[in-house]
Amino acid sequence: MKTIATALGLGVTTVSRALRDDPKIGLKTRMSVQEEARNLGYRPSRAGLRLRTGKTNVISLVLDTQEQVGSFVSEMIFGITEALAGTAYHLIVTPYSRLKDAMEPIRYLVETESVDGIIISRIEPDDERVRYMLEHDMPFATHGRTFAGLQHPYYDFDNEAFARIAVRRLANLGRRRLALLAPPADLSFHDHMRQGFQRELSQHGLEEVRFQAVTNDNSIEQIRYAVRDLMRQPVRPDGIVSSSGGVSGTGGALLAIIAGLADAGVSPGREVDIVTKQLFKRLPIFREQYHIVHEDVREAGRELTKSLIAAIDGQPAEALQSLAIPANVIWQIPEIP
């Protein structure tokens, strides 16, 4: 600060306030001080910043290490970094394994005061992490909703609407027996999706053929064999709804379903139709017919970040809750080169 003050003919106090972007210092002065600081390679000390202001200017995205890095994680991080551009905040990713205690990274971040706010996913109906952060006054935002009457910032995709749209599309195609590749039962969006699926089945007088012991958390191989076994049953589905956003944005669950159908000698688009949730609107590598509903995870990252920063600034949780409602199915038949 002394170096900058000498170079610009300013007082050290003025330089200090300009570096903090104090609006009481003229904009021209702030800009010249900040430009000089950048030229000198100056970066504020995080430790000093926390001592002076009680803030770190850091937020954390807490992610399960088993999330697919190429799709969900990359799109989420892209959206977060877009929303952080032009702010004082920086992002760190805190990994954990769902095979261990999911509370461990949350406790660490809260107890060490490492961050100003936290974003979490894989939300449970009565999520222990949500209760803990509320009790400890840690600002946070969740990708998904809880059911326990807790008020907190969230951004969610309407999985009930997705399931209803998917069933409706299959019903309109004349399909009568449907299977749902659902999320794990302990997650909130499982309940939303199954409610929509069952309500729409009932409305159209359709029958469910259940997958046995497999969810969208299972490996591609496990899903493939589950589909194969399902299609070899005497009463098999003629429509499949996949809740997975896929691997690397290219439809990992869809790939597994198509492989399982091939194992059973069943042709997609003729004997069975597939509706799948995907992170990207176009999946150019497949030749089979399928129907997709787009879930924009990049937008989720942007909206979660905006809500989190607003929560850090003290805005009420009720004003920081949003739900993305899918409107339609995108019909696509990739061209064969």
Side-chain angles (χ1 to χ4, degrees), residues 6-275:
T6 300
L8 299 179
L10 300 170
V12 172
T13 301
T14 300
V15 170
S16 175
R17 292 172 63 186
L19 288 172
R20 297 200 305 271
D21 213 25
D22 187 337
K24 293 181 180 179
I25 302 297
L27 178 61
K28 185 176 179 180
T29 300
R30 280 184 280 154
M31 291 178 64
S32 63
V33 168
Q34 291 167 12
E35 182 180 2
E36 185 70 17
R38 283 192 296 271
N39 292 338
L40 292 169
Y42 169 78
R43 293 289 184 273
S45 162
R46 296 273 177 219
L49 181 67
R50 190 170 71 179
L51 284 172
R52 187 175 70 251
T53 67
K55 296 185 65 176
T56 63
N57 284 352
V58 175
I59 67 170
S60 177
L61 173 62
V62 178
L63 280 178
D64 176 4
T65 53
Q66 290 179 269
E67 296 280 9
Q68 298 296 339
V69 174
S71 56
F72 176 87
V73 173
S74 60
E75 286 294 288
M76 178 68 73
I77 290 175
F78 198 108
I80 292 172
T81 54
E82 281 186 332
L84 289 180
T87 75
Y89 291 96
H90 297 267
L91 173 69
I92 62 170
V93 177
T94 305
Y96 75 97
S97 170
R98 76 181 69 151
L99 302 177
K100 297 182 180 179
D101 182 8
M103 281 296 302
E104 183 179 341
I106 305 299
R107 290 193 194 96
Y108 173 82
L109 293 171
V110 171
E111 290 172 2
T112 61
E113 300 179 346
S114 303
V115 296
D116 295 333
I118 298 171
I119 296 173
I120 60 173
S121 62
R122 296 184 65 85
I123 305 304
E124 298 180 3
D126 187 3
D127 202 297
E128 183 183 5
R129 299 168 299 172
V130 169
R131 289 190 178 276
Y132 178 85
M133 288 187 285
L134 286 171
E135 289 168 2
H136 289 79
D137 295 321
M138 168 59 73
F140 68 96
T142 65
H143 186 215
R145 289 166 284 168
T146 56
F147 298 164
L150 304 172
Q151 288 296 331
H152 59 85
Y154 67 74
Y155 179 92
D156 199 7
F157 180 79
D158 192 336
N159 285 284
E160 180 176 351
F162 159 74
R164 301 195 76 146
I165 288 169
V167 172
R168 198 176 307 133
R169 168 54 64 92
L170 293 170
N172 290 341
L173 290 168
R175 302 308 184 181
R176 309 303 300 169
R177 298 179 304 278
L178 310 187
L180 171 65
L181 180 61
D186 59 338
L187 300 181
S188 294
F189 84 107
H190 167 276
D191 296 345
H192 292 134
M193 189 170 295
R194 182 146 283 286
Q195 286 169 8
F197 184 76
Q198 291 175 330
R199 286 172 181 169
E200 203 68 19
L201 283 182
S202 176
Q203 185 168 330
H204 291 277
L206 307 181
E207 175 186 352
E208 179 178 7
V209 182
R210 281 185 174 264
F211 276 99
Q212 297 299 319
V214 68
T215 73
N216 66 11
D217 263 5
N218 287 89
S219 68
I220 290 178
E221 235 179 29
Q222 290 169 327
I223 295 171
R224 171 183 179 174
Y225 295 141
V227 171
R228 179 199 64 189
D229 294 343
L230 195 67
M231 301 309 293
R232 287 177 175 173
Q233 293 179 179
V235 178
R236 68 188 192 188
D238 55 11
I240 297 175
V241 177
S242 172
S243 63
S244 175
V247 177
S248 302
T250 57
L254 179 60
L255 175 61
I257 291 169
I258 291 172
L261 294 176
D263 291 342
V266 175
S267 300
R270 289 197 292 271
E271 299 169 82
V272 62
D273 280 301
I274 305 164
V275 180

Side-chain angles (χ1 to χ4, degrees), residues 260-299:
L261 294 176
D263 291 342
V266 175
S267 300
R270 289 197 292 271
E271 299 169 82
V272 62
D273 280 301
I274 305 164
V275 180
T276 181
K277 186 200 298 184
Q278 289 294 336
L279 308 185
F280 300 115
K281 290 185 178 180
R282 299 192 65 83
L283 306 176
I285 69 169
F286 296 119
R287 297 180 179 182
E288 285 79 9
Q289 297 179 358
Y290 51 84
H291 314 256
I292 65 171
V293 175
H294 182 221
E295 179 180 5
D296 194 338
V297 178
R298 187 175 297 189
E299 177 67 11

